């Protein structure tokens, strides 16, 4: 992967060695251009007959189409919403009438609260919520434990494809198969996964799927995918005069953010430029192009991760949460750790003085922090890499951490 080419595409790239990518990534110029062009040229209500309005609608439609194609879904299966937390909340409201008192929903204590709290609230409607708990030693969810939770009343299992704390990847394809065998649906939070791998809802065979585009080189909006027949059955959350078969529009209680939605094609423009640069002359499909881009990205990210995990592993006072490996089959390069007897907030402060950006806390996965017993450290220290990070930046991260551990 041509790192210099990659870094040139992101105008925010500067002297800060940025490792808070799991919180939100930088955006390429292609996205910025699309937001500003929308606001300059087409900042009018879309769908009218006058030229800027026609153009606005075209830009929004094209972006929406590309986002669906990126997920390997159709546009009517993909809603653009304000955030994943909001999208899950809306989804829970839209499908809660499917469930009878005593029906069961499984949530995890690994997940970010987004794919958690909105489901747990359904206890108000006398649903039973069951918790799939991580093994506290490994921070892994084990399929055998899910097995014990599934009953003939299980209607839905909510789980993440990747933890925003440990970076561990869950085998969603396998989990989905097991959930479907039990006659239930699966809702997958792929927010922490999306910046690192190609996305394909059909290959995973999931029912609902969530990503936040501000963590995939885009603006602050999120996608909710739902299988077509399920979205048709979901209850309208929009105004009463929006038709029941008008998906995904009927699910969105408010209008989407037009300028950000229109800019989403800029994410694909970036990956297209990345692909053209590395595979000139190709006319492969978008899914294939994304796959080839992410093959290169994965190799680069593993190279970044290796020295960092080796460094953490060499420190007896450090506890890595999750898998102490750089292996891309097992994780994305998001690392969290605690240092024996130390407040996690000490470390980001020191690193910030040296131009290295990381953070500490529970990152809204508070249930996991509590389950792993690291609440006494005030949460974890997290450093997360994406493909635009450089080996030199990782060196600086290690060097300055080494001064204070
Ligand atoms: C794994 C995971 N899921 C969900 C979310 C929430 O996303 P949003 O900010 O779009 O609600 C986050 C945000 O940090 C996350 O890391």
């Amino acid at each position: 992967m041509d790192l210099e080419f990659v870094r040139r595409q992101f105008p925010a790239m500067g002297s800060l060695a940025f490792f808070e990518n799991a919180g939100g990534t930088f955006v390429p110029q292609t996205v910025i251009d699309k937001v500003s062009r929308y606001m300059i040229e087409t900042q009018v209500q879309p769908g009218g007959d006058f030229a800027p309005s026609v153009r606005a609608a075209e830009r929004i439609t094209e972006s929406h189409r590309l986002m669906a194609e990126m997920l390997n879904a159709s546009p009517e299966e993909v809603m653009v919403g304000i955030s994943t937390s909001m999208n899950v909340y809306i989804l829970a409201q839209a499908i809660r009438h499917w469930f009878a008192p005593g029906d069961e929903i499984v949530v995890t204590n690994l997940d970010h609260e987004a794919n958690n709290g909105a489901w747990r609230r359904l206890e108000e409607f006398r649903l039973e919520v069951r918790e799939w708990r991580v093994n506290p030693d490994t921070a892994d969810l084990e399929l055998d434990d899910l097995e014990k939770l599934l009953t003939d009343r299980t209607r839905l299992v909510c789980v993440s494809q990747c933890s925003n704390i440990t970076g561990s990847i869950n085998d969603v394809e396998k989990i989905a198969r097991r959930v479907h065998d039990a006659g239930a649906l699966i809702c997958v939070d792929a927010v922490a996964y999306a910046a690192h791998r190609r996305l394909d809802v059909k290959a995973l065979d999931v029912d609902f799927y969530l990503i936040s585009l501000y963590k995939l080189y885009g603006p602050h909006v999120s996608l909710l995918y739902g299988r077509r027949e399920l979205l048709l059955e979901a209850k309208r959350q929009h105004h009463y005069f929006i038709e029941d078969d008008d998906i995904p529009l009927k699910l969105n209680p408010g209008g989407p953010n037009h300028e950000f939605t229109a800019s989403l094609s800029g994410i694909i423009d970036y990956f297209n430029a990345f692909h053209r640069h590395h595979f000139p002359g190709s006319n492969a499909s978008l899914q294939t192009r994304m796959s080839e881009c992410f093959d290169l990205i994965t190799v680069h990210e593993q190279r970044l991760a290796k020295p960092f995990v080796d460094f953490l592993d060499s420190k007896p006072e450090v506890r890595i949460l999750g898998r102490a490996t750089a292996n891309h089959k097992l994780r994305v390069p998001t690392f969290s750790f605690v240092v024996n007897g130390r407040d996690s907030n000490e470390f980001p402060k020191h690193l910030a003085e040296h131009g290295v950006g990381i953070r500490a806390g529970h990152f809204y996965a508070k249930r996991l922090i509590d389950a792993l017993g690291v609440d006494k450290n005030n949460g974890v220290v997290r450093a997360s890499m994406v493909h635009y990070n450089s080996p030199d930046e990782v060196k600086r991260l290690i060097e300055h951490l080494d001064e204070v551990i």
Side-chain angles (χ1 to χ4, degrees), residues 157-224:
V157 174
C158 306
V159 65
S160 52
Q161 191 162 16
C162 176
S163 158
N164 65 323
I165 300 287
T166 66
S168 303
I169 295 172
N170 291 319
D171 188 343
V172 165
E173 203 177 335
K174 202 163 169 187
I175 298 169
R177 218 175 300 129
R178 189 58 203 96
V179 169
H180 288 151
D181 285 349
L185 298 171
I186 184 163
C187 177
V188 176
D189 173 347
V191 173
Y193 181 84
H196 308 283
R197 301 285 187 278
R198 177 178 67 115
L199 308 170
D200 184 344
V201 292
K202 294 284 153 36
L204 294 173
D205 192 22
V206 289
D207 301 300
F208 302 109
Y209 197 72
L210 301 141
I211 65 167
S212 293
L213 295 165
Y214 69 97
K215 299 183 201 262
L216 178 57
Y217 317 113
H220 215 292
V221 290
S222 299
L223 303 181
L224 162 65

Side-chain angles (χ1 to χ4, degrees), residues 269-311:
D269 292 344
Y270 167 66
F271 281 106
N272 283 340
F274 180 109
H275 192 267
R276 266 196 312 277
H277 184 78
H278 293 90
F279 304 94
S282 160
N283 53 14
S285 70
L286 176 59
Q287 274 282 319
T288 304
R289 294 198 301 278
M290 295 295 275
S291 178
E292 290 173 345
C293 292
F294 277 107
D295 284 348
L296 295 182
I297 286 171
T298 302
V299 171
H300 175 72
E301 287 185 352
Q302 182 167 314
R303 265 193 215 128
L304 295 176
K306 181 80 173 82
F308 187 60
V309 74
D310 287 348
F311 162 74

